[in-house]
Amino acid sequence: MRISILRIIFTFLVLIILSACGSQSIKEGDDQLRQIGYVEQEQPGALIVLTLTDTAKVIGGSILDVNAGMRDNRFSVTQEQFAYIWSSLSSPEFTAYQFTPNKTDSMSDPKYYTISKKSVTGDLNYRIPIDTESKKIESVINALKAIILENS
């Protein structure tokens, strides 16, 4: 019972964070604004949310670690890092894992990585099993994890 309540709280937290990041940052008229959200929970209670935002002037990110709280909220990401991740999310390996989250989805399930891609042209969400065998997906997940490690 306690695990179910914690899972609901984590799911609620992740949905709020991902939707708030998009709704605050991507507004009508910001036609070049792009955002990537990444959620992992490799063990119960160890939820990490990475948000990368490209404003066409600067690319920055923030990390929320549920155990440690908000980390350095003002780190930068190279155009190459962001472009690689952004373009990879349009590849067939990723499109196979697109989904539309609803209230009953657990965005913090330790069996999956959750990635969101937001722009004025629309939002896409991906739920990827942690045991995926795709080298492309593994490479992108490793790039996201490297950003987290570099800024922890």
Side-chain angles (χ1 to χ4, degrees):
M1 178 75 170
R2 184 172 172 89
I3 292 174
S4 296
I5 292 171
L6 288 175
R7 179 168 281 183
I8 290 169
I9 291 170
F10 283 138
T11 301
F12 183 70
L13 175 67
V14 171
L15 287 172
I16 287 174
I17 291 168
L18 289 177
S19 64
C21 290
S23 65
Q24 290 174 1
S25 301
I26 300 176
K27 299 174 183 157
E28 197 170 318
D30 290 336
D31 57 348
Q32 294 186 359
L33 198 65
R34 304 180 298 166
Q35 191 168 60
I36 298 168
Y38 168 72
V39 179
E40 73 174 29
Q41 183 180 196
E42 292 186 342
Q43 50 186 302
L47 184 69
I48 296 176
V49 180
L50 170 67
T51 304
L52 304 175
T53 304
D54 178 2
T55 66
K57 294 179 183 175
V58 66
I59 302 173
S62 65
I63 300 169
L64 174 68
D65 182 333
V66 172
N67 289 330
M70 187 66 82
R71 297 184 188 168
D72 183 6
N73 201 24
R74 300 287 180 216
F75 62 84
S76 61
V77 178
T78 69
Q79 175 63 38
E80 292 78 19
Q81 287 173 303
F82 190 91
Y84 171 71
I85 296 165
W86 184 266
S87 63
S88 295
L89 294 174
S90 298
S91 70
E93 292 91 345
F94 278 93
T95 57
Y97 293 106
Q98 283 183 5
F99 81 108
T100 302
N102 62 45
K103 292 179 184 179
T104 60
D105 285 322
S106 175
M107 302 292 277
S108 62
D109 190 329
K111 297 177 186 172
Y112 298 95
Y113 298 115
T114 303
I115 301 175
S116 64
K117 179 179 178 181
K118 298 177 179 285
S119 70
V120 294
T121 59
D123 300 348
L124 297 173
N125 296 286
Y126 309 89
R127 177 176 284 159
I128 302 142
I130 60 169
D131 60 355
T132 183
E133 295 182 10
S134 166
K135 296 296 180 198
K136 178 77 163 185
I137 291 175
E138 187 177 311
S139 175
V140 171
I141 297 295
N142 287 339
L144 291 163
K145 287 182 179 203
I147 292 170
I148 293 169
L149 286 174
E150 289 169 12
N151 296 286
S152 294

